[in-house]
Amino acid sequence: MEKFALSDAHLVGDDLLDAQHRVILGYMAKIYDHLLAGKKEKDMFGLVERLDTYCRLHFLDEEKVMEDMEFPEIVAHKAQHALFITHLENFAGRFEEQTSTKNIDELLFLKNWFVEHIADLDKKYAEHKKQLEKRH
Ligand SMILES: [Fe+2]
Ligand SMILES: [Fe+2]
């Protein structure tokens, strides 16, 4: 059974961004359940669209937070967000014609990418924020 939960180790110390991370994982879990249940792709289209819209919103909010704290690695971080959106667009564009097995593979790729992104990169601005707070 695949897990779509985040642990405390994934918290970035910003209530809005932490909540958005959980909502995104929640959408992914729903899409996964639909795929496992063999639901019609048509039913899933709205969910995939919402996931896409919500990820874009989250990335914009997160980039604003990084800009406000003058996070030095923001350019590389933004590039990773753009890369994820490309993966997501490819998934959305293909899933109607793909088999469920292939869609599940791709969804799990997106999920693992997203969770690792939080653990590796989002945690870096979280650490930067902590350092700034110590100085004030
Ligand atoms: Fe990020
Ligand atoms: Fe994030």
Side-chain angles (χ1 to χ4, degrees):
M1 197 59 208
E2 279 296 326
K3 284 204 192 110
F4 290 83
L6 292 171
S7 71
D8 285 356
H10 292 96
L11 291 174
V12 295
D14 179 301
D15 290 346
L16 174 72
L17 300 178
D18 281 324
Q20 288 176 341
H21 287 156
R22 283 193 297 272
V23 171
I24 289 169
L25 266 295
Y27 277 132
M28 289 177 172
K30 254 190 207 159
I31 295 169
Y32 181 73
D33 287 345
H34 271 62
L35 285 169
L36 276 191
K39 293 231 174 104
K40 288 255 165 56
E41 277 75 2
K42 258 187 220 155
D43 299 333
M44 276 180 46
F45 202 75
L47 270 178
V48 173
E49 250 184 3
R50 261 182 282 165
L51 172 68
D52 180 89
T53 307
Y54 205 87
C55 283
R56 287 171 199 268
L57 172 85
H58 167 63
F59 290 156
L60 285 176
D61 284 341
E62 197 172 78
E63 288 165 11
K64 173 84 173 60
V65 166
M66 288 191 281
E67 265 162 33
D68 288 349
M69 66 171 83
E70 294 179 354
F71 179 59
E73 292 164 56
I74 187 168
V75 174
H77 197 132
K78 276 181 160 180
Q80 288 300 308
H81 288 171
L83 180 65
F84 185 77
I85 291 295
T86 306
H87 288 313
L88 203 51
E89 277 174 351
N90 289 340
F91 175 70
R94 280 195 295 250
F95 84 86
E96 272 185 305
E97 65 208 36
Q98 283 190 156
T99 62
S100 286
T101 317
K102 189 84 180 64
N103 279 331
I104 288 172
D105 281 353
E106 289 198 10
L107 180 72
L108 293 181
F109 167 83
L110 291 172
K111 192 262 283 185
N112 291 329
W113 192 103
F114 191 71
V115 172
E116 279 168 29
H117 174 85
I118 298 172
D120 296 342
L121 293 185
D122 289 355
K123 288 298 274 192
K124 285 193 182 173
Y125 71 70
E127 197 45 49
H128 186 72
K129 187 180 171 215
K130 266 193 213 158
Q131 296 303 324
L132 288 177
E133 282 164 356
K134 262 188 212 163
R135 269 181 246 159
H136 292 125

